[in-house]
Amino acid sequence: MTMTLRPGSPEEAGMRRERVGHARELCARWVEQGHTPTLGVCVARRGVIGLHEALGEILCRLSGRGIDPLARERIFDPLDMKGTYFVVPESESHRVVQRAAGLPLADPESPFLEGLGSRQWQETPYGGAGLFTTPIDMAIFGQMILNGGRYGDACILSRAAVEAAPRDQVPGLQALVAGHEIERASWGYGWRVASPTKWKYFDGSLQPLGTISHSGAAGQNFWIDREHELVGVYFEVCTRLTEDYKFLWNFDLFQNAITAAVDD
């Protein structure tokens, strides 16, 4: 099957020009930080953002619509995810968590990166790092995946798609993440897949192999443990980040506590 992107300006496709500049700026940073092109796009932590940004652009061009109305029609509204946005309405802006100056990702870095929580970030539909949501909405989305693509009367994904997404699509491949070599990348379609290689940013120590997770910037993570039929959500304002991009947080302890509490 061959897909042809629709011609036209970014505005006609429902995109904003800032997104193009943002993606280029991120790519330049990844090269400066030593990410290889293949891993930088496919499996590296920051590279995943770039891949999702590109997917967002493709969706906008093929549909001729913005990513927020498209996701709202296909996902958010059918799942009743009332607190989730790619573009946060001004009336809902007061609900967005604001980080104190000096905290990770809080301060403006450029015209394209004015800091998490800024109106610039809230108004720009970044496909790779622009979703504003709540723990309960994330739990609903995770339950839909756990249910094989359905939640209530809504069918969001086919069972075949749900089963394909969490498979390791890069078996045997290593990853370079912010200068750290990871022995086994272990990524599916949009999901990090738990493997024998542990990394504190993603992993506790008790979840089964094959557990899938997806993290957000500066302190969010949620996971789906199909063996225990468990969906977990963790939202923290991360206050400590080392120079070599290591989050000092408690996600791994939280995930262990939840997993240990499961009584079969």
Side-chain angles (χ1 to χ4, degrees), residues 105-123:
L105 302 179
D107 300 329
E109 297 183 24
S110 78
F112 303 117
L113 294 170
E114 294 185 5
L116 288 181
S118 66
R119 278 306 293 170
Q120 176 264 333
W121 207 296
Q122 294 178 41
E123 293 176 343

Side-chain angles (χ1 to χ4, degrees), residues 25 34 74 76 134 136 154 200 203 259:
E25 183 173 303
R74 299 294 186 90
F76 304 159
T134 65
I136 187 62
K200 185 177 180 181
D203 292 314
T259 304

Side-chain angles (χ1 to χ4, degrees), residues 131-187:
L131 186 69
F132 291 80
T133 188
T134 65
I136 187 62
D137 279 4
M138 280 290 87
I140 290 172
F141 185 85
Q143 188 65 50
M144 178 272 293
I145 297 294
L146 194 61
N147 292 347
R150 293 178 174 273
Y151 185 83
D153 295 329
C155 180
I156 306 300
L157 295 169
S158 69
R159 182 169 291 276
V162 171
E163 291 177 352
R167 298 191 195 116
D168 184 357
Q169 300 295 327
V170 288
L173 197 63
Q174 295 179 324
L176 180 63
V177 185
H180 301 286
E181 291 187 0
I182 307 299
E183 181 179 350
R184 183 171 173 178
S186 194
W187 278 92

Side-chain angles (χ1 to χ4, degrees), residues 10 47 53 80-81 84 87 93 112 117 164 173 182 210 230 238 243 253:
E53 192 71 24
D80 201 26
M81 296 170 63
T84 300
V87 178
S93 182
F112 303 117
L173 197 63
I182 307 299
L230 173 67
C238 185
E243 292 183 358
L253 301 179

Side-chain angles (χ1 to χ4, degrees), residues 22-23 25-27 29-31 33 35 39-53 105 109 113 121 128-129 176-179 187 199 201-202 215 217 241-247:
H22 174 64
E25 183 173 303
L26 285 177
C27 288
R29 284 188 178 187
W30 301 332
V31 173
Q33 293 172 2
H35 296 312
L39 296 182
V41 172
C42 292
V43 298
R45 166 68 190 133
R46 289 179 179 265
V48 170
I49 296 176
L51 177 60
H52 291 166
E53 192 71 24
L105 302 179
E109 297 183 24
L113 294 170
W121 207 296
L176 180 63
V177 185
W187 278 92
W199 189 28
Y201 183 49
F202 290 109
S215 61
L241 178 65
T242 65
E243 292 183 358
D244 56 352
Y245 202 70
K246 288 183 179 179
F247 280 86

Side-chain angles (χ1 to χ4, degrees), residues 196-257:
T197 299
K198 300 291 185 181
W199 189 28
K200 185 177 180 181
Y201 183 49
F202 290 109
D203 292 314
S205 55
L206 299 181
Q207 81 279 14
L209 298 180
T211 296
I212 57 176
S213 62
H214 194 99
S215 61
Q220 300 79 44
N221 206 342
F222 90 111
W223 76 96
I224 302 169
D225 175 349
R226 290 170 292 171
E227 181 176 321
H228 294 120
E229 298 184 334
L230 173 67
V231 175
V233 182
Y234 182 87
F235 275 35
E236 173 186 335
V237 175
C238 185
T239 59
R240 296 172 295 168
L241 178 65
T242 65
E243 292 183 358
D244 56 352
Y245 202 70
K246 288 183 179 179
F247 280 86
L248 303 178
W249 64 346
N250 295 309
F251 168 71
D252 56 328
L253 301 179
F254 177 82
Q255 187 181 53
N256 282 347

